[in-house]
Amino acid sequence: MGASQALTSKVPMFERQFQELQLQRRRSTLLYGGIFAMALLLSAWVGEFNPIKVIEGLPRVGEYLMKTLPKLSIATLWHDLGEWFWGLPKWLKLLWETVLIAYLGTMLGTLGALALSFDAADNLKRHAASYWISRRVLEVSRTVPELVFALVFVFAFGLGPLAGVLAIAIHSMGGNGKLFAEAVENIDMKPVDGLRAAGASWLQTVRFAALPQVLPNFTSVTLWRFEINVRAASVVGLVGAGGIGQEFYTAVSRLYYEDISAMLILLVCTVFIIDMVCEKVRHRMIGKESLT
């Protein structure tokens, strides 16, 4: 009976603590919910987001898109398509250049990210200084837009694909490096501790304990980045950094509506193909056959 009475006497204390925890949770929820709502409203005000204005402007978006589409007739369909894609040989060449810029930039950026990501991971850093430097380098690389890097490199190296490759490589290094480092921070540390106990060097620990765990994740991120960089390579072309961007800018600035839609269709189809190929490659590298 004594134990039962002691347990019964503690029930009000537990209930009181539970209610205090519930009250604290409600206060935290209200506080962070209020901060979120204020940030949302402030963003909408700064961004001049007006639902009425958006609804009124949507028909004009459709009107613009309709202007980019040519008039096609079944009787003269082949001729109409030929007129629509009149620049196909030139566009395909520029589009291929865009893909190659994206590919080389992705590979160079991934190598840079791979070199910095393990030092940028808190659980594998060699020392505080290397951790701080790696994190700051990756932050600067991904914060500055590719277009700004492209402008700098066009000024330094002149017009051409080299500026686009370097701009995409640096930005990819920053983006991939952050994701790589976060993947490294989530690895199982038991193999790392085992190699350290056996006297392995930092590089050996990275090679044999960390890299095998994160390689599938690194592969997935790199393939995803390549797809993004195809779009980025077409954008940096606007400032003369190679690819189809300059041709697209000319069409937009001179209101060549049908050329705009033709090049967009080619770019979208290219991304579709790259996405499907990358999916196959990723599944093979992680030992999983595609379900499709």
Side-chain angles (χ1 to χ4, degrees):
M1 293 296 291
S4 176
Q5 289 177 351
L7 183 62
T8 303
S9 64
K10 291 182 179 180
V11 170
M13 181 181 64
F14 288 138
E15 290 182 347
R16 184 172 61 256
Q17 291 178 345
F18 177 76
Q19 291 175 357
E20 290 176 355
L21 288 173
Q22 288 290 94
L23 180 61
Q24 184 178 358
R25 180 176 297 179
R26 291 193 190 98
R27 289 174 177 171
S28 299
T29 302
L30 289 174
L31 174 63
Y32 292 119
I35 293 174
F36 174 80
M38 289 178 61
L40 186 63
L41 291 174
L42 180 62
S43 301
W45 177 67
V46 173
E48 298 181 357
F49 180 78
N50 187 335
I52 298 177
K53 190 175 181 179
V54 171
I55 294 173
E56 291 176 348
L58 281 176
R60 288 194 287 273
V61 174
E63 180 183 346
Y64 183 87
L65 293 176
M66 290 303 297
K67 285 183 177 181
T68 65
L69 298 177
K71 295 180 180 179
L72 301 177
S73 173
I74 296 179
T76 59
L77 182 60
W78 189 253
H79 178 269
D80 293 341
L81 289 175
E83 290 290 328
W84 189 12
F85 290 91
W86 66 271
L88 186 61
K90 178 176 66 174
W91 295 339
L92 287 178
K93 180 181 178 181
L94 292 173
L95 193 56
W96 177 242
E97 183 178 282
T98 299
V99 173
L100 293 180
I101 290 172
Y103 177 77
L104 183 56
T106 302
M107 293 302 102
L108 294 176
T110 299
L111 289 176
L114 192 63
L116 294 174
S117 60
F118 294 99
D119 248 337
D122 187 58
N123 56 340
L124 281 183
K125 65 178 183 289
R126 280 175 284 188
H127 40 73
S130 62
Y131 173 79
W132 190 90
I133 293 172
S134 298
R135 299 291 292 193
R136 302 295 84 78
V137 169
L138 293 176
E139 286 169 1
V140 172
S141 298
R142 68 174 177 268
T143 300
V144 179
E146 300 104 324
L147 202 59
V148 175
F149 280 129
L151 284 169
V152 173
F153 292 133
V154 164
F155 178 81
F157 304 112
L159 299 174
L162 177 61
V165 170
L166 294 177
I168 290 173
I170 293 178
H171 199 271
S172 297
M173 181 181 71
N176 282 9
K178 174 181 172 58
L179 297 177
F180 287 2
E182 290 177 353
V184 172
E185 288 178 343
N186 290 316
I187 64 173
D188 182 3
M189 290 298 292
K190 292 178 182 177
V192 175
D193 294 336
L195 280 177
R196 285 173 174 171
S201 65
W202 180 83
L203 190 59
Q204 290 172 330
T205 303
V206 167
R207 168 64 182 85
F208 295 105
L211 188 59
Q213 296 188 59
V214 296
L215 190 57
N217 192 293
F218 282 13
T219 301
S220 181
V221 169
T222 300
L223 294 174
W224 171 71
R225 175 63 60 174
F226 173 50
E227 181 183 330
I228 291 177
N229 283 344
V230 173
R231 184 270 309 163
S234 64
V235 173
V236 297
L238 298 177
V239 295
I244 201 172
Q246 185 62 47
E247 191 72 16
F248 189 77
Y249 175 75
T250 300
V252 171
S253 60
R254 297 183 180 180
L255 301 180
Y256 296 160
Y257 292 113
E258 295 181 3
D259 290 0
I260 294 172
S261 61
M263 284 185 279
L264 280 178
I265 289 173
L266 292 176
L267 185 60
V268 169
C269 290
T270 301
V271 173
F272 282 166
I273 294 172
I274 290 173
D275 180 54
M276 291 186 288
V277 172
C278 288
E279 181 183 6
K280 295 289 185 181
V281 171
R282 183 174 61 85
H283 285 170
R284 284 187 176 274
M285 292 191 71
I286 65 177
K288 175 184 176 183
E289 294 297 330
S290 176
L291 297 178
T292 57

